Amino acid sequence: MDAFYASIEQRDHPELRGKAVAVGGSGKRGVVASASYEARRFGVRSAMSSVVALRRCPELIFVRTNFSVYRSVSKQIRAIFHEYTDLVEPLSLDEAYLDVSEHPRPAFDIAEEIRRRIFENTQLTASAGVSFNKFLAKTASDINKPNGIKVIDSTAAIPFLEQLPVERFHGIGKVTAEKMRRMGLKTGADIKKWTEIELVQRFGKVGRYYYRIVRAKDERAVNPNRIRKSIGAEQTYHEDIADLPLMKQRLDDLAEKIYKTMSAQNNFGRTITLKIKTPDFKIMTRSKSFSSEIRQLIQIQRIAHELLEAHRHEFSSARLLGLSISNLEKEHIGVGVQLSFDF
């Protein structure tokens, strides 16, 4: 909640408080899962390699992940949410949407009370966004972090979006934001000048999303029964892998993990995707879809091998291998006043 994993580690280990902390692996192939705000001042961010993180902050302290603790804290927080509404849509351990449109109290009061209770119960801070749809609530939750709240009502939405820098829009990543700036699109007002067709021509289908969000349009409901859209596993290796038989062996291991999860959830999928990260950090994804669900481990392994063999000529070695299955049987698409909590 505000650097969730790192904040928990600082809470549980007083010697880490006030210091630059990164949760994740510290080896040359390690990746930052969460960074404390002290570390973020040096430019350390989640998903950054540990080598780059240490270069930016030589005093950085690495702590191994402890997901059992993180899950326990997440359950505490969700229990608080459910005291206010049954319409809670968890997105991950550290984020959820709440629909409080049927609650008799004002949304802002609920959000502030929830933030206070979270701190009393966990000694951790949360930031909240309050608005009339998911996109605005999520965007608002990032505005006054850490330990802040932002409200965007119907009268303020358009002026707010028009002045918002493109990199602050939820759903516009760093690479896309840089591309937009090169095209002269610096704020929501700049994007709004473009027609939907023009945005689609420049950005593909996601251009339709950009066209709608700058106009504050998002009709998605909060879905308390939200089901994951894919099941996957990946592994970064200490040494690059160039040997094809070894790659297949590693993919077999990933396939076993995925199969166990699918079997436990009785939720099988139709599309298998192979992910490869090369030593220079380029990411390749290659997929294959079928007309019916893939229900056998040996099928997953065989398809993964076929994808690897078909595209082996496109890379020399792999730093990371990943495998995922989507188009799941139980997949379904999850307006009111909505809160987005970014723990």
Side-chain angles (χ1 to χ4, degrees):
M1 293 156 71
D2 295 333
F4 187 46
Y5 303 164
S7 294
I8 290 176
E9 297 299 337
Q10 289 180 315
R11 179 197 69 177
D12 296 346
H13 303 280
E15 70 275 12
L16 298 177
R17 295 173 190 171
K19 297 182 179 179
V21 174
V23 176
S26 59
K28 66 178 182 178
R29 296 303 179 95
V31 176
V32 176
S34 177
S36 68
Y37 280 92
E38 293 86 353
R40 294 184 187 192
R41 285 197 286 269
F42 291 88
V44 178
R45 296 288 184 270
S46 60
M48 178 179 288
S49 75
S50 60
V51 174
V52 174
L54 282 167
R55 191 181 303 138
R56 294 189 178 186
C57 180
E59 304 302 315
L60 190 63
I61 301 171
F62 274 90
V63 180
R64 286 286 181 184
T65 55
N66 190 342
F67 280 103
S68 62
V69 175
Y70 308 154
R71 292 190 187 97
S72 176
V73 176
S74 182
K75 288 180 181 179
Q76 285 182 271
I77 297 161
R78 290 182 188 176
I80 295 172
F81 290 165
H82 281 281
E83 293 184 32
Y84 296 86
T85 177
D86 290 329
L87 296 176
V88 177
E89 179 181 341
L91 301 181
S92 60
L93 290 179
D94 61 349
E95 186 173 6
Y97 289 111
L98 284 68
D99 185 334
V100 297
S101 54
E102 298 302 318
H103 200 284
R105 293 173 55 195
F108 176 84
D109 292 350
I110 296 171
E112 284 290 72
E113 185 171 301
I114 288 175
R115 293 196 324 113
R116 176 181 58 77
R117 291 188 60 194
I118 286 173
F119 184 77
E120 291 173 353
N121 282 266
T122 69
Q123 293 76 57
L124 300 168
T125 63
S127 295
V130 184
S131 197
F132 54 88
N133 65 38
K134 279 184 172 181
F135 165 72
L136 286 168
K138 169 58 180 171
T139 300
S141 71
D142 290 327
I143 298 300
N144 291 323
K145 290 177 72 71
N147 195 24
I149 186 169
K150 173 70 176 178
V151 179
I152 305 175
D153 62 23
S154 58
T155 59
I158 297 301
F160 169 81
L161 292 171
E162 288 180 343
Q163 58 80 39
L164 192 68
V166 293
E167 60 269 18
R168 300 297 296 272
F169 277 80
H170 174 55
I172 296 181
K174 182 179 178 180
V175 174
T176 301
E178 291 175 353
K179 178 180 178 180
M180 286 183 169
R181 286 191 168 274
R182 290 195 300 269
M183 296 165 57
L185 305 178
K186 298 180 180 180
T187 65
D190 295 328
I191 298 176
K192 200 173 178 183
K193 295 174 184 177
W194 287 43
T195 66
E196 183 173 4
I197 293 175
E198 289 172 332
L199 289 170
V200 170
Q201 287 174 337
R202 289 299 185 95
F203 299 99
K205 289 188 291 185
V206 73
R208 295 189 178 93
Y209 170 74
Y210 301 152
Y211 180 83
R212 295 181 64 78
I213 61 174
V214 294
R215 291 165 173 79
K217 294 181 179 180
D218 182 5
E219 288 78 32
R220 294 172 301 156
V222 169
N223 182 3
N225 300 310
R226 184 176 185 269
I227 296 176
R228 65 200 303 177
K229 293 189 175 182
S230 66
I231 296 171
E234 61 183 41
Q235 180 68 53
T236 299
Y237 304 105
H238 294 295
E239 301 291 339
D240 297 335
I241 301 176
D243 181 63
L244 184 61
L246 182 56
M247 289 184 189
K248 289 182 178 180
Q249 181 182 328
R250 295 291 184 259
L251 287 176
D252 286 346
D253 295 339
L254 296 175
E256 285 188 31
K257 292 181 181 179
I258 293 171
Y259 181 74
K260 287 180 181 179
T261 301
M262 287 196 303
S263 298
Q265 298 179 3
N266 191 28
N267 193 17
F268 298 88
R270 300 183 180 189
T271 299
I272 292 186
T273 300
L274 169 68
K275 176 181 177 181
I276 300 164
K277 183 185 287 185
T278 61
D280 56 356
F281 289 87
K282 291 181 180 178
I283 296 176
M284 298 169 44
T285 57
R286 301 292 184 267
S287 301
K288 190 171 185 179
S289 296
F290 299 85
S291 58
S292 60
E293 285 75 27
I294 303 154
R295 296 179 174 274
Q296 301 296 325
L297 172 59
I298 192 171
Q299 288 180 288
I300 301 172
Q301 293 172 330
R302 175 178 56 78
I303 297 164
H305 292 180
E306 290 175 356
L307 284 169
L308 179 64
E309 290 172 348
H311 300 282
R312 179 65 184 86
H313 64 282
E314 299 178 37
F315 64 99
S316 58
S317 59
R319 169 189 177 89
L320 171 149
L321 290 175
L323 206 59
S324 65
I325 296 189
S326 55
N327 287 331
L328 302 172
E329 287 178 283
K330 296 182 180 179
E331 176 185 334
H332 60 260
I333 301 173
V335 190
V337 177
Q338 297 166 15
L339 314 183
S340 173
F341 274 81
D342 224 357
F343 310 95

